[in-house]
Amino acid sequence: MAFKTLATLLTIVATVQAASTGLTKRVVCPDGKNTVTNAACCPLFALRDDLQRNLFNNGACNAEAHEALRLTFHDGIAISNKTGNHGGADGSIMIFDRIETAFHPNIGLDEVVAQQKPIQARHSINPADFIQFAGALAVSNCPGAPQLPFFLGRKVATAPAPDGLVPEPFHTVEQILDRFADAGPVGFEDVEVVWALSAHTIAAANDVDPNTPGTPFDSTPAIFDTQFFLETQLHGTTFTGRTGVKGEERSAVRGEMRLQSDHLLARHNRTACEWQSFVNNPQKLHDRFIDAWLKISLLGQDQDLLTDCSDVIPVPKTINVQATFPPTLSNKNVEQACADTAFPTLASAPGPATAVPPVRR
Ligand code: HEM
Ligand SMILES: *[C@@H]1O[C@H](CO)[C@@H](O)[C@H](O)[C@H]1NC(C)=O
Ligand SMILES: *[C@@H]1O[C@H](CO)[C@@H](O)[C@H](O)[C@H]1NC(C)=O
Protein backbone atom coordinates (compact mmCIF):
# COMPACT_ATOMS: atom_id res chain seq x y z
CA MET A 1 0.00 0.00 0.00
CA ALA A 2 2.75 2.42 1.03
CA PHE A 3 4.80 1.39 -2.01
CA LYS A 4 1.86 1.95 -4.28
CA THR A 5 1.38 5.46 -2.88
CA LEU A 6 5.06 6.21 -3.38
CA ALA A 7 4.89 4.91 -6.94
CA THR A 8 1.87 7.10 -7.61
CA LEU A 9 3.72 10.09 -6.18
CA LEU A 10 6.73 9.42 -8.40
CA THR A 11 4.45 9.19 -11.42
CA ILE A 12 2.96 12.56 -10.51
CA VAL A 13 6.44 14.09 -10.12
CA ALA A 14 7.47 12.66 -13.50
CA THR A 15 4.30 14.01 -15.11
CA VAL A 16 4.86 17.47 -13.66
CA GLN A 17 8.46 17.41 -14.87
CA ALA A 18 7.36 16.35 -18.34
CA ALA A 19 4.76 19.11 -18.36
CA SER A 20 7.28 21.78 -17.36
CA THR A 21 9.73 20.50 -20.00
CA GLY A 22 6.86 20.89 -22.47
CA LEU A 23 6.37 24.46 -21.32
CA THR A 24 10.01 25.35 -21.95
CA LYS A 25 9.66 24.01 -25.50
CA ARG A 26 6.97 26.52 -26.46
CA VAL A 27 7.75 28.63 -29.51
CA VAL A 28 6.99 32.30 -30.02
CA CYS A 29 4.81 32.90 -33.08
CA PRO A 30 5.83 35.39 -35.82
CA ASP A 31 3.23 37.81 -34.39
CA GLY A 32 5.60 38.21 -31.43
CA LYS A 33 2.90 37.89 -28.77
CA ASN A 34 1.49 34.36 -28.88
CA THR A 35 3.34 31.20 -27.88
CA VAL A 36 2.44 27.61 -28.80
CA THR A 37 3.95 24.16 -28.52
CA ASN A 38 3.89 23.70 -32.31
CA ALA A 39 4.72 26.52 -34.74
CA ALA A 40 2.25 25.09 -37.26
CA CYS A 41 -0.52 26.33 -34.98
CA CYS A 42 0.54 30.01 -35.15
CA PRO A 43 -1.77 31.05 -38.02
CA LEU A 44 -4.75 29.98 -35.89
CA PHE A 45 -4.40 33.04 -33.65
CA ALA A 46 -5.37 35.43 -36.44
CA LEU A 47 -8.28 33.15 -37.31
CA ARG A 48 -9.29 33.04 -33.66
CA ASP A 49 -9.37 36.83 -33.46
CA ASP A 50 -11.35 37.08 -36.70
CA LEU A 51 -13.97 34.56 -35.52
CA GLN A 52 -14.30 36.14 -32.10
CA ARG A 53 -14.74 39.62 -33.53
CA ASN A 54 -16.81 38.91 -36.61
CA LEU A 55 -18.87 35.81 -35.80
CA PHE A 56 -19.06 35.45 -32.04
CA ASN A 57 -19.73 39.09 -31.13
CA ASN A 58 -16.41 39.56 -29.31
CA GLY A 59 -16.22 36.18 -27.66
CA ALA A 60 -19.84 35.57 -26.71
CA CYS A 61 -21.69 32.28 -26.26
CA ASN A 62 -24.17 33.60 -28.83
CA ALA A 63 -26.48 31.91 -31.34
CA GLU A 64 -23.63 31.75 -33.88
CA ALA A 65 -21.48 29.97 -31.29
CA HIS A 66 -24.25 27.42 -30.71
CA GLU A 67 -24.62 26.91 -34.45
CA ALA A 68 -20.86 26.50 -34.87
CA LEU A 69 -20.98 23.60 -32.41
CA ARG A 70 -23.98 22.05 -34.17
CA LEU A 71 -22.07 22.26 -37.46
CA THR A 72 -19.14 20.22 -36.06
CA PHE A 73 -21.59 17.38 -35.38
CA HIS A 74 -23.42 17.54 -38.70
CA ASP A 75 -20.15 17.45 -40.65
CA GLY A 76 -18.59 14.72 -38.49
CA ILE A 77 -21.44 12.27 -38.05
CA ALA A 78 -21.94 11.86 -41.81
CA ILE A 79 -19.83 8.71 -42.08
CA SER A 80 -20.94 5.09 -42.18
CA ASN A 81 -19.08 1.91 -41.41
CA LYS A 82 -21.61 0.02 -43.53
CA THR A 83 -20.51 1.84 -46.67
CA GLY A 84 -16.76 2.01 -46.07
CA ASN A 85 -16.22 4.98 -43.74
CA HIS A 86 -15.91 7.73 -46.34
CA GLY A 87 -16.59 11.25 -45.07
CA GLY A 88 -16.84 12.32 -41.45
CA ALA A 89 -15.21 15.54 -40.24
CA ASP A 90 -14.01 16.39 -43.74
CA GLY A 91 -15.64 19.76 -44.38
CA SER A 92 -18.10 18.30 -46.88
CA ILE A 93 -20.98 20.29 -45.38
CA MET A 94 -19.11 23.49 -46.32
CA ILE A 95 -17.50 22.32 -49.57
CA PHE A 96 -20.72 20.80 -50.93
CA ASP A 97 -23.00 23.10 -48.95
CA ARG A 98 -25.68 23.47 -51.62
CA ILE A 99 -26.19 19.70 -51.52
CA GLU A 100 -25.77 18.93 -47.82
CA THR A 101 -27.57 21.91 -46.28
CA ALA A 102 -30.62 20.86 -48.30
CA PHE A 103 -30.81 17.59 -46.32
CA HIS A 104 -33.70 17.76 -43.85
CA PRO A 105 -31.70 17.30 -40.60
CA ASN A 106 -29.34 20.10 -41.68
CA ILE A 107 -32.13 22.66 -41.80
CA GLY A 108 -30.86 26.13 -40.87
CA LEU A 109 -27.19 25.29 -41.37
CA ASP A 110 -27.19 27.02 -44.76
CA GLU A 111 -27.11 30.33 -42.89
CA VAL A 112 -24.29 29.22 -40.60
CA VAL A 113 -22.18 28.00 -43.50
CA ALA A 114 -22.86 31.23 -45.39
CA GLN A 115 -21.57 33.21 -42.38
CA GLN A 116 -18.51 30.99 -41.85
CA LYS A 117 -17.40 30.53 -45.48
CA PRO A 118 -15.99 34.03 -46.07
CA ILE A 119 -14.03 33.80 -42.82
CA GLN A 120 -12.59 30.43 -43.83
CA ALA A 121 -11.71 31.86 -47.23
CA ARG A 122 -9.54 34.63 -45.80
CA HIS A 123 -7.34 32.26 -43.74
CA SER A 124 -5.05 29.43 -44.78
CA ILE A 125 -7.10 26.64 -43.23
CA ASN A 126 -9.19 24.03 -44.99
CA PRO A 127 -12.96 23.73 -44.41
CA ALA A 128 -12.64 20.47 -42.43
CA ASP A 129 -10.26 22.00 -39.88
CA PHE A 130 -12.11 25.31 -39.95
CA ILE A 131 -15.45 23.82 -38.91
CA GLN A 132 -13.96 21.95 -35.95
CA PHE A 133 -11.78 24.90 -34.89
CA ALA A 134 -14.75 27.28 -34.97
CA GLY A 135 -16.75 24.80 -32.88
CA ALA A 136 -14.06 24.35 -30.23
CA LEU A 137 -13.58 28.11 -30.05
CA ALA A 138 -17.34 28.67 -29.85
CA VAL A 139 -17.64 26.35 -26.85
CA SER A 140 -14.82 28.19 -25.07
CA ASN A 141 -17.03 31.29 -25.09
CA CYS A 142 -19.64 29.58 -22.92
CA PRO A 143 -19.00 29.93 -19.17
CA GLY A 144 -18.65 26.56 -17.48
CA ALA A 145 -17.49 24.77 -20.63
CA PRO A 146 -14.48 22.48 -20.85
CA GLN A 147 -11.52 23.58 -22.99
CA LEU A 148 -12.02 21.41 -26.05
CA PRO A 149 -9.01 19.95 -27.86
CA PHE A 150 -8.31 20.94 -31.46
CA PHE A 151 -6.18 19.00 -33.94
CA LEU A 152 -5.04 20.50 -37.27
CA GLY A 153 -4.41 18.87 -40.63
CA ARG A 154 -7.56 17.05 -41.71
CA LYS A 155 -7.91 15.74 -45.25
CA VAL A 156 -10.88 17.25 -47.01
CA ALA A 157 -13.92 15.77 -48.74
CA THR A 158 -13.84 14.96 -52.43
CA ALA A 159 -17.55 14.16 -52.51
CA PRO A 160 -20.64 15.22 -50.57
CA ALA A 161 -21.96 12.99 -47.79
CA PRO A 162 -25.08 11.05 -48.68
CA ASP A 163 -28.39 12.02 -47.08
CA GLY A 164 -29.74 9.99 -44.18
CA LEU A 165 -26.74 9.93 -41.83
CA VAL A 166 -27.64 12.79 -39.45
CA PRO A 167 -30.04 11.87 -36.62
CA GLU A 168 -33.43 13.57 -36.45
CA PRO A 169 -35.36 14.51 -33.29
CA PHE A 170 -38.24 12.22 -34.36
CA HIS A 171 -36.03 9.13 -34.63
CA THR A 172 -36.46 6.32 -32.10
CA VAL A 173 -33.76 5.62 -29.53
CA GLU A 174 -32.88 2.43 -31.42
CA GLN A 175 -32.47 4.35 -34.69
CA ILE A 176 -30.27 6.95 -32.99
CA LEU A 177 -28.07 4.46 -31.16
CA ASP A 178 -27.72 2.34 -34.33
CA ARG A 179 -26.71 5.39 -36.34
CA PHE A 180 -24.04 6.42 -33.83
CA ALA A 181 -22.77 2.83 -33.56
CA ASP A 182 -22.29 2.85 -37.34
CA ALA A 183 -20.37 6.17 -37.39
CA GLY A 184 -16.78 5.26 -38.17
CA PRO A 185 -14.81 2.01 -37.87
CA VAL A 186 -15.19 2.00 -34.09
CA GLY A 187 -18.60 3.64 -33.68
CA PHE A 188 -20.12 5.13 -30.54
CA GLU A 189 -21.35 3.16 -27.56
CA ASP A 190 -24.70 4.00 -25.97
CA VAL A 191 -23.09 5.99 -23.15
CA GLU A 192 -21.00 8.00 -25.61
CA VAL A 193 -24.17 9.17 -27.34
CA VAL A 194 -25.34 10.57 -24.01
CA TRP A 195 -21.96 12.25 -23.49
CA ALA A 196 -22.19 13.90 -26.91
CA LEU A 197 -25.66 15.23 -26.16
CA SER A 198 -24.21 17.43 -23.43
CA ALA A 199 -23.95 19.88 -26.34
CA HIS A 200 -27.66 20.56 -25.95
CA THR A 201 -26.89 22.50 -22.75
CA ILE A 202 -25.88 25.40 -25.01
CA ALA A 203 -28.53 25.01 -27.67
CA ALA A 204 -31.78 26.23 -29.09
CA ALA A 205 -34.05 25.31 -31.98
CA ASN A 206 -34.93 27.65 -34.82
CA ASP A 207 -36.61 25.33 -37.26
CA VAL A 208 -38.26 22.50 -35.31
CA ASP A 209 -41.13 24.91 -34.75
CA PRO A 210 -40.38 27.85 -37.06
CA ASN A 211 -42.99 29.99 -35.26
CA THR A 212 -40.83 30.13 -32.13
CA PRO A 213 -37.22 30.48 -33.31
CA GLY A 214 -34.48 30.52 -30.68
CA THR A 215 -36.33 28.31 -28.18
CA PRO A 216 -33.64 26.83 -25.88
CA PHE A 217 -33.30 23.22 -24.72
CA ASP A 218 -32.69 24.25 -21.10
CA SER A 219 -33.21 27.35 -18.98
CA THR A 220 -29.53 28.37 -19.24
CA PRO A 221 -28.53 28.14 -22.94
CA ALA A 222 -25.57 30.51 -22.54
CA ILE A 223 -23.98 28.42 -19.78
CA PHE A 224 -22.39 25.00 -20.10
CA ASP A 225 -24.04 23.43 -17.06
CA THR A 226 -26.01 20.26 -16.24
CA GLN A 227 -29.49 21.84 -16.24
CA PHE A 228 -30.24 20.23 -19.60
CA PHE A 229 -29.98 16.73 -18.12
CA LEU A 230 -32.15 17.72 -15.14
CA GLU A 231 -34.85 19.56 -17.05
CA THR A 232 -35.32 16.84 -19.70
CA GLN A 233 -36.06 14.37 -16.87
CA LEU A 234 -39.02 16.39 -15.54
CA HIS A 235 -42.63 15.64 -16.30
CA GLY A 236 -43.48 17.64 -19.41
CA THR A 237 -46.43 20.04 -19.26
CA THR A 238 -46.21 22.60 -22.02
CA PHE A 239 -45.37 23.35 -25.62
CA THR A 240 -43.78 26.75 -26.07
CA GLY A 241 -45.06 27.09 -29.63
CA ARG A 242 -47.49 24.93 -31.54
CA THR A 243 -48.78 21.58 -30.24
CA GLY A 244 -48.08 18.45 -32.27
CA VAL A 245 -44.84 19.49 -33.96
CA LYS A 246 -42.91 16.48 -35.27
CA GLY A 247 -39.91 15.66 -33.08
CA GLU A 248 -41.04 17.74 -30.11
CA GLU A 249 -42.27 16.74 -26.64
CA ARG A 250 -43.82 18.80 -23.86
CA SER A 251 -41.23 20.57 -21.71
CA ALA A 252 -41.51 21.38 -18.01
CA VAL A 253 -40.52 25.01 -18.38
CA ARG A 254 -42.33 27.77 -20.21
CA GLY A 255 -40.24 29.11 -23.08
CA GLU A 256 -38.19 25.94 -23.40
CA MET A 257 -38.29 23.20 -26.04
CA ARG A 258 -37.77 19.51 -25.44
CA LEU A 259 -36.77 17.40 -28.42
CA GLN A 260 -38.52 14.04 -28.59
CA SER A 261 -35.12 12.36 -29.03
CA ASP A 262 -33.75 13.92 -25.82
CA HIS A 263 -36.97 13.01 -23.99
CA LEU A 264 -36.73 9.38 -25.08
CA LEU A 265 -32.97 9.02 -24.48
CA ALA A 266 -33.52 10.33 -20.93
CA ARG A 267 -36.07 7.54 -20.36
CA HIS A 268 -34.77 4.53 -22.30
CA ASN A 269 -33.20 1.74 -20.29
CA ARG A 270 -30.07 1.75 -22.49
CA THR A 271 -29.35 5.41 -21.72
CA ALA A 272 -31.41 6.65 -18.72
CA CYS A 273 -28.86 5.94 -15.97
CA GLU A 274 -26.05 7.60 -17.91
CA TRP A 275 -28.33 10.57 -18.62
CA GLN A 276 -29.20 11.01 -14.93
CA SER A 277 -25.55 10.62 -13.88
CA PHE A 278 -24.74 14.03 -15.37
CA VAL A 279 -27.21 15.92 -13.18
CA ASN A 280 -25.20 18.24 -10.90
CA ASN A 281 -21.91 16.61 -11.96
CA PRO A 282 -20.02 19.31 -13.89
CA GLN A 283 -16.71 17.46 -13.65
CA LYS A 284 -18.18 14.46 -15.44
CA LEU A 285 -19.84 16.80 -17.94
CA HIS A 286 -16.41 18.23 -18.79
CA ASP A 287 -14.51 14.99 -18.97
CA ARG A 288 -17.03 13.04 -21.00
CA PHE A 289 -17.92 15.87 -23.39
CA ILE A 290 -14.25 16.33 -24.23
CA ASP A 291 -14.02 12.61 -25.06
CA ALA A 292 -17.20 12.45 -27.12
CA TRP A 293 -16.63 15.71 -28.99
CA LEU A 294 -13.00 14.91 -29.82
CA LYS A 295 -14.16 11.62 -31.30
CA ILE A 296 -16.78 13.41 -33.43
CA SER A 297 -14.23 15.99 -34.55
CA LEU A 298 -11.86 13.24 -35.73
CA LEU A 299 -14.36 10.99 -37.52
CA GLY A 300 -12.84 9.79 -40.79
CA GLN A 301 -9.42 11.20 -39.85
CA ASP A 302 -6.23 9.69 -38.44
CA GLN A 303 -5.35 11.54 -35.23
CA ASP A 304 -1.70 10.44 -35.52
CA LEU A 305 -1.32 12.49 -38.71
CA LEU A 306 -2.69 15.68 -37.11
CA THR A 307 -1.00 18.41 -35.05
CA ASP A 308 -2.25 19.16 -31.56
CA CYS A 309 -3.17 22.86 -31.53
CA SER A 310 -5.36 22.71 -28.42
CA ASP A 311 -3.37 25.48 -26.78
CA VAL A 312 -4.91 27.98 -29.21
CA ILE A 313 -8.35 27.32 -27.71
CA PRO A 314 -8.93 29.71 -24.76
CA VAL A 315 -9.66 28.36 -21.29
CA PRO A 316 -13.37 29.02 -20.71
CA LYS A 317 -14.64 31.01 -17.71
CA THR A 318 -15.40 28.77 -14.77
CA ILE A 319 -18.76 28.86 -13.03
CA ASN A 320 -19.82 27.57 -9.65
CA VAL A 321 -23.48 26.65 -9.88
CA GLN A 322 -25.58 23.90 -8.36
CA ALA A 323 -28.17 22.24 -10.55
CA THR A 324 -31.58 23.39 -9.33
CA PHE A 325 -35.16 22.54 -10.16
CA PRO A 326 -36.93 25.33 -12.01
CA PRO A 327 -39.10 27.51 -9.70
CA THR A 328 -42.05 25.60 -8.10
CA LEU A 329 -40.72 22.23 -9.35
CA SER A 330 -38.99 19.61 -7.21
CA ASN A 331 -37.99 15.95 -7.01
CA LYS A 332 -41.75 15.18 -7.16
CA ASN A 333 -41.74 16.24 -10.82
CA VAL A 334 -38.96 13.87 -11.86
CA GLU A 335 -39.93 11.01 -14.17
CA GLN A 336 -37.50 8.54 -12.66
CA ALA A 337 -36.19 6.29 -15.43
CA CYS A 338 -32.91 4.94 -14.05
CA ALA A 339 -33.74 1.82 -12.08
CA ASP A 340 -30.39 1.59 -10.27
CA THR A 341 -29.87 5.02 -8.68
CA ALA A 342 -32.21 7.58 -7.13
CA PHE A 343 -32.36 11.04 -8.70
CA PRO A 344 -30.18 13.46 -6.71
CA THR A 345 -31.98 15.60 -4.13
CA LEU A 346 -31.65 19.22 -5.23
CA ALA A 347 -33.00 22.62 -4.30
CA SER A 348 -35.64 24.45 -6.31
CA ALA A 349 -34.73 27.86 -7.71
CA PRO A 350 -36.64 30.75 -6.17
CA GLY A 351 -38.89 32.90 -8.28
CA PRO A 352 -42.24 32.83 -10.06
CA ALA A 353 -43.47 29.69 -11.77
CA THR A 354 -42.18 29.18 -15.27
CA ALA A 355 -43.94 25.85 -15.62
CA VAL A 356 -47.54 25.88 -16.74
CA PRO A 357 -50.30 23.30 -16.10
CA PRO A 358 -50.76 20.44 -18.57
CA VAL A 359 -52.10 21.53 -21.92
CA ARG A 360 -55.40 19.82 -22.87
CA ARG A 361 -55.64 18.69 -26.46
C1 HEM B 1 -29.55 12.27 -31.23
C2 HEM B 1 -28.76 13.16 -31.75
C3 HEM B 1 -29.17 14.58 -32.03
C4 HEM B 1 -30.35 15.07 -32.52
C5 HEM B 1 -31.56 14.29 -32.96
C6 HEM B 1 -30.23 16.51 -32.55
C7 HEM B 1 -31.19 17.37 -33.00
C8 HEM B 1 -31.14 18.75 -32.93
C9 HEM B 1 -32.15 19.65 -33.38
C10 HEM B 1 -33.48 19.23 -34.02
C11 HEM B 1 -31.75 20.91 -33.13
C12 HEM B 1 -32.49 22.21 -33.44
C13 HEM B 1 -32.12 22.71 -34.81
C14 HEM B 1 -32.97 23.91 -35.17
O1 HEM B 1 -34.18 23.76 -35.36
O2 HEM B 1 -32.42 25.03 -35.23
C15 HEM B 1 -30.45 20.82 -32.52
C16 HEM B 1 -29.71 21.89 -32.11
C17 HEM B 1 -28.41 21.78 -31.68
N1 HEM B 1 -27.66 20.64 -31.61
FE1 HEM B 1 -28.33 18.76 -31.75
N2 HEM B 1 -28.98 16.87 -32.07
C18 HEM B 1 -28.31 15.72 -31.75
C19 HEM B 1 -27.03 15.64 -31.27
C20 HEM B 1 -26.17 16.71 -31.16
C21 HEM B 1 -24.75 16.61 -30.90
C22 HEM B 1 -24.00 15.30 -30.71
C23 HEM B 1 -24.27 17.88 -30.90
C24 HEM B 1 -22.86 18.37 -30.72
C25 HEM B 1 -21.86 17.67 -30.28
C26 HEM B 1 -25.39 18.77 -31.10
C27 HEM B 1 -25.33 20.14 -31.06
C28 HEM B 1 -26.41 20.98 -31.20
C29 HEM B 1 -26.36 22.40 -30.93
C30 HEM B 1 -25.18 23.17 -30.36
C31 HEM B 1 -27.62 22.90 -31.25
C32 HEM B 1 -28.10 24.35 -31.12
C33 HEM B 1 -28.00 25.14 -32.37
C34 HEM B 1 -28.56 26.54 -32.15
O3 HEM B 1 -28.74 26.96 -30.99
O4 HEM B 1 -28.80 27.22 -33.14
N3 HEM B 1 -26.51 18.03 -31.28
N4 HEM B 1 -30.11 19.49 -32.41
C1 LIG C 1 -17.57 -2.19 -39.37
O1 LIG C 1 -17.69 -3.05 -40.50
C2 LIG C 1 -16.91 -4.21 -40.40
C3 LIG C 1 -17.02 -4.93 -41.75
O2 LIG C 1 -18.36 -5.08 -42.14
C4 LIG C 1 -17.40 -5.05 -39.24
O3 LIG C 1 -16.63 -6.23 -39.10
C5 LIG C 1 -17.28 -4.21 -37.95
O4 LIG C 1 -17.82 -4.92 -36.86
C6 LIG C 1 -18.03 -2.90 -38.12
N1 LIG C 1 -17.80 -2.05 -36.97
C7 LIG C 1 -18.80 -1.55 -36.25
C8 LIG C 1 -18.38 -0.66 -35.13
O5 LIG C 1 -19.95 -1.77 -36.47
C1 LIG D 1 -34.77 -2.80 -21.55
O1 LIG D 1 -36.14 -3.07 -21.64
C2 LIG D 1 -36.46 -4.01 -22.63
C3 LIG D 1 -37.98 -4.12 -22.79
O2 LIG D 1 -38.66 -3.23 -21.97
C4 LIG D 1 -35.83 -5.35 -22.28
O3 LIG D 1 -36.12 -6.30 -23.28
C5 LIG D 1 -34.31 -5.16 -22.14
O4 LIG D 1 -33.71 -6.34 -21.71
C6 LIG D 1 -33.98 -4.04 -21.20
N1 LIG D 1 -32.55 -3.75 -21.31
C7 LIG D 1 -31.79 -3.45 -20.27
C8 LIG D 1 -30.37 -3.10 -20.57
O5 LIG D 1 -32.20 -3.45 -19.12
Side-chain angles (χ1 to χ4, degrees):
M1 190 67 175
F3 285 116
K4 199 177 172 193
T5 314
L6 183 61
T8 311
L9 195 65
L10 289 174
T11 313
I12 293 169
V13 170
T15 311
V16 170
Q17 279 171 345
S20 56
T21 316
L23 280 177
T24 59
K25 269 195 252 156
R26 289 175 76 89
V27 296
V28 179
C29 290
D31 64 16
K33 52 179 187 184
N34 290 300
T35 59
V36 276
T37 41
N38 195 312
C41 308
C42 286
L44 294 173
F45 288 103
L47 171 60
R48 186 178 84 176
D49 293 347
D50 195 353
L51 282 165
Q52 292 290 44
R53 193 173 314 116
N54 298 309
L55 190 61
F56 302 143
N57 193 22
N58 297 317
C61 182
N62 61 357
E64 285 73 19
H66 298 175
E67 292 284 4
L69 175 58
R70 181 176 172 226
L71 191 65
T72 66
F73 173 56
H74 288 234
D75 194 37
I77 198 67
I79 181 170
S80 171
N81 190 50
K82 287 194 194 92
T83 55
N85 291 317
H86 314 292
D90 62 357
S92 63
I93 202 165
M94 186 174 281
I95 300 167
F96 301 100
D97 57 332
R98 292 241 191 92
I99 296 169
E100 288 196 33
T101 65
F103 298 161
H104 187 268
N106 292 338
I107 188 164
L109 289 176
D110 52 337
E111 293 173 34
V112 187
V113 171
Q115 285 177 311
Q116 291 194 0
K117 251 185 157 174
I119 304 177
Q120 182 268 326
R122 56 183 182 247
H123 296 270
S124 56
I125 184 169
N126 73 47
D129 286 334
F130 178 90
I131 288 172
Q132 302 302 327
F133 181 77
L137 179 64
V139 169
S140 82
N141 290 340
C142 303
Q147 184 190 27
L148 292 178
F150 172 72
F151 287 77
L152 181 72
R154 285 170 186 71
K155 55 184 165 53
V156 295
T158 52
D163 198 0
L165 297 179
V166 180
E168 292 268 25
F170 48 81
H171 285 163
T172 64
V173 169
E174 284 76 12
Q175 280 176 303
I176 290 167
L177 297 179
D178 284 355
R179 179 71 277 281
F180 270 90
D182 170 58
V186 184
F188 289 74
E189 293 175 24
D190 296 354
V191 291
E192 293 179 297
V193 177
V194 177
W195 305 351
L197 276 160
S198 305
H200 283 180
T201 181
I202 45 167
N206 294 312
D207 295 291
V208 174
D209 181 350
N211 300 309
T212 54
T215 306
F217 297 155
D218 73 357
S219 54
T220 54
I223 294 175
F224 204 99
D225 61 2
T226 71
Q227 283 298 125
F228 164 72
F229 288 104
L230 187 166
E231 291 171 21
T232 47
Q233 205 74 62
L234 297 172
H235 177 68
T237 48
T238 180
F239 288 109
T240 291
R242 276 194 305 127
T243 297
V245 170
K246 199 178 179 191
E248 193 184 342
E249 269 284 343
R250 285 183 172 78
S251 91
V253 177
R254 193 203 301 272
E256 183 172 309
M257 173 177 295
R258 183 182 300 175
L259 295 180
Q260 182 188 296
S261 47
D262 292 334
H263 176 87
L264 295 176
L265 284 160
R267 284 156 183 77
H268 197 282
N269 66 1
R270 286 172 65 180
T271 44
C273 287
E274 194 64 19
W275 198 274
Q276 181 186 290
S277 75
F278 281 97
V279 175
N280 211 23
N281 194 343
Q283 188 61 52
K284 180 169 184 179
L285 184 76
H286 274 201
D287 296 346
R288 297 287 83 85
F289 188 62
I290 289 172
D291 294 346
W293 185 82
L294 178 63
K295 199 164 159 178
I296 290 168
S297 79
L298 294 173
L299 281 168
Q301 305 286 341
D302 181 352
Q303 183 170 6
D304 295 343
L305 303 178
L306 305 186
T307 304
D308 189 350
C309 291
S310 302
D311 49 7
V312 181
I313 304 299
V315 179
K317 277 199 199 74
T318 56
I319 53 169
N320 186 14
V321 293
Q322 294 289 310
T324 49
F325 289 106
T328 74
L329 303 181
S330 70
N331 278 82
K332 287 198 285 288
N333 303 92
V334 170
E335 285 178 350
Q336 181 69 33
C338 173
D340 308 342
T341 321
F343 201 84
T345 303
L346 302 166
S348 306
T354 49
V356 296
V359 178
R360 302 248 170 244
R361 283 194 210 239

